[in-house]
Structure formats: C-alpha cells, structure tokens
Amino acid sequence: MQVHIDALGAEGHGLARLPDGGTLFVPGALPGEAVRVLPTGGGQALLEEIITPSPDRVDPVCALFGRCGGCSVQYMSLPLSLRWKVDIVTRALQAAGYADVPVMTPWQALPRTRRRVDLAFRRVDQGIALGLHRRRGDVVDMTECHVLEPALFALLAPLRQMLHSLPAVRRGGDLQINMLDSGPDLLLATDGPPGNDDRRILAHFAGEQRIPRISYRPPASHDVPETVAQTATVWHEFSGVRTAPPPGAFLQPSRSGEDAIRQAVLHSLPAKRIKGDIIELYAGCGTLSFALATRGRVMAHEGDEAAFNCLRQACGGTRVQAFHRDLNRQPVMANVLAKAGAVVLDPPHAGAGAQLAQITDGKPLHVIYVSCNPTALRRDAAALRQAGYRLERLTVIDQFLWSTEVESVCLFTRPPPPRRR
C-alpha cells in the first residue's frame, strides 16, 4: 500500500495516519515522504519504496550503517534529528501537564567528538572482531566510525592485535574506554580469568600505547575492578578541579556536551544570591558539583561508593561537601530539601524514584532536573506539576548523533509562600 508519512515516532520511525483512523510506523521513512510499504501487523510496516523523498533525507555517512548496532537514523539530516529530539522532550513535558514549554536554543554535538564507548569483542577466524553488536546479532567489527573521537578510534586497531594474543580471551568479552584528561582509561572483561601472561601482555600494551591504566572487571558485577596495568597517574578535571575517576567512571559522552549541560544548569540557578545551600543529588564524580560551587555551598550526594570516594577526595579547598547516600533507599528528606536555595538532580535512566517524593513534599523554590530519558522525565515532571511547580526553562541537548537518545535540562520553580506582615 502507498501512504504519506506525517511525523516521526519516539524511535525515529515514520508515522503514517490511515483513512480509517489507524496509524502505521514505518522504520526508515521521514515526514513528508510518499512511500510504498508492506504492513506486517501490530501497526508496523516494512518500507519497500520511497516514491517522493524528503529534502531531509541524506546518504548515510558510514558504510556500516544498517549492520552496526550504534547509529539508527543516519538517513536523517542532523537539523531534522535535532528538531525531532526537541519535539520528543516537548511532547513529554506537555503530556506531564505543561501546556507552555519554554524551549531555549537547543545544542547538538559535532561528529567524531564522543569520548567514551562500551564495546564487545569476539574471536573470529581472522583474529578479533571489536565493535558494537549487530541489531539482535553478533559483534560487527568497527572498521569505521563517524561518532568517536579520532584518537579513541585509532586505538581500536592495536587493541584487536593485543586482545587476539590474550590467553584470557577464550571466545570474547567486553571493553569500556573513557578518554580522560590523563589519556585512555580501559576497563576489560573476558570470559577467562587473567593469568600472569595476560598481565604481562596488558602491561606491555599500556606502556607501548601510553595508556595510564587498564583495569579488569571480574564476572560478578558487584566485585571491585582490579588494576592490572598502570603506567601513569589517572586524572580528569571538572571545572578546573582535578579528580581521580575510578575504572569505568561515568562521563558525559562528549566534552562539549558536558559543558553544554553545565552551562544550562548554571543559567538555571537564581540570578541573585542563592539563599541556602545548593543540594545536588546523583552527583557522580563531580561533573556539575564544582561548577555549582562557584555559585554557593554545595551538598553533593552520591550512592556509588567508587564515585563518592572520587568526589570526596577532590573536595578539599572547595565549597563542595560530599555525602555517600543511596538515594533510592535513603533519600534526602523533605525537611532538608525545603531549606535549599536550589536542588539539582541528574538521576539515572529510570528517573528520580523515591527521591522525587521528598522533593515534592519539601517544595524547594528551584528544582533543576537533568534528564536522559523523556519517559522518566514525563513521569517526574507530572509529579512536580501536581506539587505546584512551573516549568520555567528547557534546554535540549543532543550528544548522541544519529540515535534516538536525547538529554535535557529543565528548570522547575514554584511561587514563594506569601510574606507575613
């Protein structure tokens, strides 16, 4: 059947509205296109032919597109991708009850600026395949990438040779790389235990490639990673403060994206002197903490022990005080939040959970919410609206090019209580 694509769905699939009132989702189709499709049931259809292409349709820049499990919408121009992501976040907030969404100028990363990646590797006939998983399939060897920093991508070729020589790699494993200010930081997991030969090979590789640290993650996820090779001090700066991130530490995907989030948060703080402490929830290693400290005293809370230790050790001489606290089991209470000059939270993908109930009970005047999940944002924003909060500001940030992922920074405020005579 032939249909007209009217919009994009949350997964980037073209949406066609049918004469009978139904809808079809067509992966690979763009708004404004006339396409011929094959319905497959459940409101889904396969794209068979593009009759009238959209002016926003472009040729994928990567030869691996369609096989590699990374980029999913490289046929979509980047300007359209940014408009679509702004629309996703805007509609989530409208569904939460905010009819008027004040959107600031959105921000989008440049290609080849991503500084962290989680890869898989498998032994193959010719050596090692290192890359991302094929959609619902095996590892696709990353012979090309238009997302990663060039220095990070250049490391993949020698990594293949090294992994091929490791006795601990029987069938395969996983590898996380963070490009810290001190250099590449590797966290390795294999399907065999590392022995003396593995440690010797890893130490030689670290020295040869100028990698400050290589760590090994045991099969049990709760075990602390072991440093198997270290050639130099591991460090990374947040807002001019040097920290020592643990293996596998969370970093924003790009340096410029981290700065965009930081600036959006700082611009959301009260313009005048902040009355009360800034309470930061889910602080991590200090991505925002030390920037917030330029505006007031910061009470930073983090549940992950390794990240907390990193933050605590860097707090000396700053206006940041770190607290180790599982915010899902032991949230900061409403009576403490009520006295805050501002509450800043960057919750995990699932949202703020039990902590949000304490925020809505405490009713601090300013809540700055950093979101990586529009679905969780919609749920949490609805609770804030029911508690009397207004949405004052929205900044959409696209750090994940050619994907469905989107981040945002929202400022929620509530009117101050009336003054007594």
Side-chain angles (χ1 to χ4, degrees), residues 2-5 29-36 47 49-55 57:
Q2 181 175 325
V3 296
H4 183 271
I5 304 300
L30 296 177
E33 292 185 333
V35 297
R36 184 169 289 109
L47 177 63
E49 180 185 359
I50 301 171
I51 300 171
T52 306
S54 164
R57 179 171 290 280

Side-chain angles (χ1 to χ4, degrees), residues 276-299:
D277 294 333
I278 299 171
I279 295 182
E280 184 187 11
L281 309 171
Y282 312 98
C285 293
T287 304
L288 300 174
S289 310
F290 303 109
L292 291 171
T294 63
R295 301 292 304 279
R297 192 169 67 168
V298 179
M299 303 289 107

Side-chain angles (χ1 to χ4, degrees), residues 250 252 261 281-283 288 344-348 368-372:
F250 172 79
Q252 290 293 342
I261 291 175
L281 309 171
Y282 312 98
L288 300 174
V344 179
L345 66 157
D346 185 359
I368 303 171
Y369 190 119
V370 183
S371 169
C372 63

Side-chain angles (χ1 to χ4, degrees), residues 82 86 90 101-107 264 267-268 391-397 409 411:
L82 183 58
V86 170
T90 300
V101 179
V103 181
M104 302 294 107
T105 302
W107 182 92
H267 289 160
S268 299
L391 176 62
E392 296 286 347
R393 183 186 182 101
L394 166 66
T395 304
V396 175
I397 296 170
V409 178
L411 168 61

